[in-house]
Amino acid sequence: MSSRKRIDQARPFATLGIALAVWLVMPAVFRGFVRASFFEFQAPLTYTASRIHDLQLYWSMRGLHSKDELISASAEVGRLIADYEVVAHDNTQLRAELGRWETEFRIPERTGYRAEPARVARRDQSGWWQQIEIRKGSVHGIVVNSPVIFSGGLVGLVREVHAYSSLVDLISSPSFRVAGSVEGDNRPITYVGDNNLPFANPRGSITYVPLDIYANRSNPKVLVTSGLGGTYPPGLVIGRIVRIEATNDGIYSEGTVELDPRLNALSEVTVLVPTGADPAP
């Protein structure tokens, strides 16, 4: 092989190495600016693709159902809306009553949350990280470290916020950690996401489990957020504990948590924005 040919083959790797070296020596502020600018540049593409997908789904569903079926579904939606209006009215009255009791007995004010629904625009799931991108950002009041939930419980935590989109670390991600407890037991347990493969049923791990807590697949326990640390409200479902075994030191146990399989196919989530939180820059 000629020296000229070897140089041509090595040129792409040399260029990549130089670019990586330049990137590493750049100031952190400049790197953050470049990354944010690139994200905002590609955000409209992701947003548009997500909107087109929703439109395609709408027309495909419309073509698959008859007019009578659509009328029946519309009537059912109307009934659900009426039921939700009654529930919302009752909820308003209960909140007002709770506020009066808190004032009467001088109970310290609790941290509240504002629910912000958001559509999932993109998923980025691998064995190293598990995250989704949602179609809400700083212009909608989303802030970093806001909990994200759905009907099955906890989804994750907002890690990064941009103008019209945000990145959410899922509870299945190895980087995710939260203080939990067994439902009905207030002793804290540490939950950590696992190295989940794409399209596999998500799971996580628990450590520092008290020795008197038992669970297996035939008799699982529900793991919920403990509320410690103030980031997550207490009582959000994390998953089901299906295995607990004592560690070698015999002081605590550890185990496996099965997460809701719907985490791999979420289309809608709700962001719990802390009331009074400062908007993301």
Side-chain angles (χ1 to χ4, degrees):
M1 182 183 297
S2 65
S3 59
R4 177 67 179 179
K5 189 173 183 180
R6 286 196 296 267
I7 293 175
D8 290 341
Q9 290 179 344
R11 183 173 292 134
F13 299 100
T15 304
L16 179 61
I18 294 172
L20 181 60
V22 172
W23 176 259
L24 292 176
V25 299
M26 281 183 180
V29 174
F30 183 78
R31 290 204 304 268
F33 174 77
V34 171
R35 186 177 185 278
S37 299
F38 177 76
F39 194 96
E40 295 292 357
F41 175 77
Q42 70 172 1
L45 300 177
T46 303
Y47 184 89
T48 302
S50 178
R51 288 286 187 179
I52 292 175
H53 177 267
D54 290 346
L55 189 60
Q56 290 175 334
L57 182 62
Y58 166 77
W59 285 108
S60 63
M61 294 296 292
R62 183 172 180 177
L64 291 174
H65 298 280
S66 66
K67 184 179 295 185
D68 292 339
E69 290 175 326
L70 294 176
I71 293 174
S72 177
S74 177
E76 179 66 18
V77 169
R79 185 188 66 79
L80 290 175
I81 291 175
D83 290 342
Y84 282 131
E85 287 176 347
V86 173
V87 172
H89 177 71
D90 293 342
N91 184 54
T92 301
Q93 289 184 322
L94 290 173
R95 285 180 178 273
E97 182 68 19
L98 180 61
R100 286 193 293 269
W101 283 108
E102 289 177 342
T103 302
E104 179 72 20
F105 292 99
R106 299 180 181 178
I107 299 175
E109 184 178 356
R110 298 168 300 164
T111 302
Y113 297 89
R114 172 179 62 83
E116 182 69 38
R119 188 80 171 168
V120 176
R122 180 176 62 88
R123 295 177 179 82
D124 187 6
Q125 295 173 273
S126 69
W128 299 102
W129 62 78
Q130 304 269 310
Q131 64 183 21
I132 58 175
E133 181 181 344
I134 59 175
R135 293 192 327 218
K136 290 289 181 71
S138 59
V139 298
H140 306 95
I142 305 298
V143 297
V144 174
N145 292 332
S146 295
V148 182
I149 62 173
F150 78 123
S151 60
L154 184 62
V155 172
L157 188 71
V158 175
R159 178 177 61 85
E160 193 172 318
V161 176
H162 299 275
Y164 295 94
S165 60
S166 302
L167 292 179
V168 178
D169 277 340
L170 298 178
I171 59 175
S172 54
S173 178
S175 62
F176 187 89
R177 181 183 296 265
V178 64
S181 60
V182 173
E183 193 173 41
D185 190 320
N186 60 2
R187 289 175 292 179
I189 295 173
T190 299
Y191 167 85
V192 181
D194 212 337
N195 292 315
N196 291 283
L197 297 175
F199 309 112
N201 289 334
R203 65 180 185 179
S205 303
I206 50 174
T207 55
Y208 302 108
V209 182
L211 293 175
D212 60 341
I213 295 180
Y214 303 94
N216 52 44
R217 192 167 294 278
S218 60
N219 184 28
K221 295 285 195 306
V222 178
L223 182 69
V224 298
T225 54
S226 65
L228 296 177
T231 301
Y232 306 91
L236 297 177
V237 174
I238 299 173
R240 300 189 315 150
I241 305 174
V242 296
R243 182 189 66 86
I244 291 181
E245 294 179 354
T247 57
N248 294 330
D249 56 22
I251 300 177
Y252 291 103
S253 297
E254 60 186 13
T256 302
V257 179
E258 282 189 350
L259 307 177
D260 196 311
R262 290 177 292 177
L263 284 172
N264 290 334
L266 289 175
S267 58
E268 291 278 351
V269 296
T270 298
V271 183
L272 299 180
V273 182
T275 54
D278 295 331

